[in-house]
Each structure stands twice: as C-alpha cells, then as structure tokens.
C-alpha cells in the first residue's frame, strides 16, 4: 500500500507477563508494517516490563505509570500516539495477520467510518480457537447495527480489538471514562459507534479473544459491580438519546436484566437499581440465559435457586 498511514496499537498492561509477548508478536506479524505499538504498563508488580523489553523492535514504545486503571492507561497511550488510525487491544488478545491491512483499506476514504472484524474465543492456545460468525455484515448504519446486535441477546461483542478507528473519530467521541472499570468498553464503544457515520465489516479477519470464566456474582467487589451498572446506564442513555422507541427501551431494559442475572445473589443494592431502571423503561423480556443442566434446573426450581446452586456448589 503506497504511503501507508500510521496505525497506533494501544495496549494497557497490568500484570500481563504471561501473555503480553504473544499479543505483541501477533502485531509484528502483520503484513501491514506502518505501525507503532504503545504499551502502558499500569503499575504491574510482575515482569510485564521485562517481557516487553525482551522484544527488540523500534516500533514498540513502553510507558510506565503508577496503577490508574485500564481506561487511564488507554487515554495515556492515545495522548502519546501519532497514528492516523487507532486500534485498542488488550494485553492478552491477538489479531489475525492481515487484519490491519484489511481494516485500513476499508476506512481510509472515510475518517468517520469504523472497520470491524470477526472474532472468536480461545483459552489456552489458538488450537482451541472457536470462531464466531458475524450475523449482520450487511448493516452499516451505526444505530441499526447496535439494535440488530443487542436483541435478543442484550450485549454485542464490543471488545475493542475488533475495531479500527480513525484518530478524528476517537477525538470526536471523547476519552475513556476513568470512573469506570468493569465493562468500560461497552460504554466507550456504544458512544464511539454512535459518533461514527458507518460500520464496515472486514471478513476473514479475527480478533482472537482470550476467554476465561467470569461473572459479576463471582466478582466480590461492590465498586466493580457498580461500575458495570454505571457503564450500562451511560450506554443506554446514549442509545435512548438517538432512539427512544419502544424497541430501544426494551433493548435497554434487557441490559439491566442481564446485570441482575449476573450479579445475583450478591450486590443487592445494584440489583435494586437495575430493577428500577427496568420498571422505568417499561419492562424486560430477557429470559435467564441457560443451557444444558442449567436450563433443566431453572425450568423446575426457578432461575434464582439455580443460580444459588451454581454459585455455592463446585
């Protein structure tokens, strides 16, 4: 690609020594070479810094800061970056080798477009990678894209590594909200997508998303659970500002219902706030997500008893 514009890959890293090298190498293997990799070491107490320094490439820039959280680390990386295009990436994920080239080509003519890829999950290595099929590659309108991806399941896959953003759009959408920790990418990407003019799908390119077992009920921090609520509240407010239809209100209510399912049986005050939001929005139709034995149990003893069993039994 002649006169290739610079792409800045921005990575917050906290105690990431186990996987950070794999993440960096997946970027260096790109067939698109006009890149800078800015890694903000956010107060790690392990050997993250040494792992980064071990990889000798002049395009890697390491910034050390005291622990301030991923949002602050991303903001710091963006402030330091020089690229015309921006890709945020987590320190334990990877990208397919042609992704950057495909996404730059897709949005180069339009500074307010967003390119996005396929994605899939893996736990240990790419040998156990399970790809996800994009259901709506033809939808390009930002609001319609979000509506299509948020029903019946309330949360689309907005993991930031899927997306390539122009510097212009990032500046227009605003910085990461440093008051949020848990699911802060949901608030950020809803806001950024709504600020864009178009989404362009780049097929056959993948975000390799390292997946672990996580639920709000297992995350004992009340502050983190409250962050999830605030992230959803802000994101749904953005959506309703653009579309206050009955369909959108149901979509937003379902986001809060999903938080209730995840937080139960802990964090009663947050669950109560979610219930108030659902009532104000007109109610939710999102059923307790279940499969296999969980579906069998919830049909007989209800979702709350099922969730209690899953929480307290091995």
């Amino acid at each position: 690609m002649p006169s290739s514009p610079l792409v800045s890959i921005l990575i917050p890293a906290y105690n990431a020594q186990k996987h950070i090298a794999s993440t960096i190498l997946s970027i260096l293997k790109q067939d698109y070479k006009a890149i800078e990799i800015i890694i903000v070491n956010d107060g790690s107490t392990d050997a993250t810094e040494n792992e980064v320094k071990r990889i000798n490439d002049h395009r890697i820039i390491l910034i050390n800061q005291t622990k301030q959280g991923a949002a602050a680390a991303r903001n710091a990386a963006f402030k330091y970056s020089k690229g015309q295009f921006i890709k945020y990436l987590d320190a334990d994920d990877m990208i397919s080798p042609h992704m950057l080239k495909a996404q730059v080509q897709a949005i180069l003519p339009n500074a307010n477009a967003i390119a996005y890829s396929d994605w899939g999950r893996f736990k240990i290595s790419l040998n156990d990678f399970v790809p996800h099929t994009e259901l709506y590659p033809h939808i390009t309108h930002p609001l319609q894209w979000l509506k299509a991806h948020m029903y019946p399941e309330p949360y689309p896959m907005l993991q930031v590594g899927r997306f390539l953003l122009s510097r212009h759009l990032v500046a227009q959408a605003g910085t990461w909200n440093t008051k949020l920790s848990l699911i802060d990418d949901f608030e950020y990407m809803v806001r950024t997508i709504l600020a864009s003019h178009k989404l362009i799908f780049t097929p056959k390119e993948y975000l390799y998303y390292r997946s672990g077992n996580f639920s709000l009920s297992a995350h004992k921090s009340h502050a983190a659970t409250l962050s999830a609520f605030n992230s959803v509240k802000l994101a749904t407010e953005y959506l309703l500002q653009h579309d206050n239809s009955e369909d959108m209100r149901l979509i937003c209510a379902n986001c809060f219902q999903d938080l209730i399912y995840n937080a139960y049986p802990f964090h009663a005050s947050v669950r109560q706030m979610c219930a108030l939001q659902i009532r104000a929005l007109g109610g939710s139709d999102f059923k307790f997500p279940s499969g296999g034995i969980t579906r069998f149990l919830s049909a007989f003893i209800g979702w709350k008893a099922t969730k209690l069993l899953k929480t307290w039994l091995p």
Side-chain angles (χ1 to χ4, degrees), residues 44 59 71 74 83 92 105 117 119 127 129 145 147 161 163 165 170 175 183 200 205 223 234-235 241 255 273 291 301:
S44 295
R59 294 170 294 178
R74 292 185 181 109
D92 58 353
Q105 289 177 335
S117 72
W119 67 282
N127 291 329
F129 176 70
W145 189 92
K147 289 182 76 170
F163 302 94
L165 313 171
V170 171
T175 58
I183 64 170
I200 303 171
E205 302 305 328
L234 286 169
Q241 287 168 10
C255 290
M273 289 190 294
I301 63 176

Side-chain angles (χ1 to χ4, degrees), residues 124-235:
I124 307 301
S125 74
L126 294 185
N127 291 329
D128 60 48
F129 176 70
V130 179
H132 175 275
T133 301
E134 173 57 41
L135 297 177
Y136 307 102
H138 58 286
I139 299 179
T140 61
H141 186 276
L143 183 62
Q144 296 306 317
W145 189 92
L146 286 166
K147 289 182 76 170
H149 284 80
M150 294 181 72
Y151 192 86
E153 297 291 329
Y155 292 111
M157 180 56 168
L158 296 181
Q159 217 289 336
V160 288
R162 294 183 72 191
F163 302 94
L164 184 72
L165 313 171
S166 72
R167 187 175 203 87
H168 172 81
L169 179 59
V170 171
Q172 181 182 348
T175 58
W176 286 76
N177 188 333
T178 57
K179 294 180 180 179
L180 302 176
S181 54
L182 204 61
I183 64 170
D184 56 338
D185 52 351
F186 181 63
E187 183 274 338
Y188 179 83
M189 283 309 306
V190 167
R191 169 162 44 98
T192 302
I193 288 170
L194 289 172
S196 72
H197 292 170
K198 185 178 184 180
L199 285 102
I200 303 171
F201 178 59
T202 52
K204 301 179 182 178
E205 302 305 328
Y206 285 93
L207 167 70
Y208 302 122
Y209 176 64
R210 192 180 299 272
S211 179
N213 294 320
F214 176 82
S215 70
L216 285 179
S217 60
H219 202 294
K220 296 300 192 294
S221 166
H222 179 78
T225 309
L226 185 60
S227 167
F229 171 82
N230 287 331
S231 178
V232 171
K233 188 171 186 298
L234 286 169

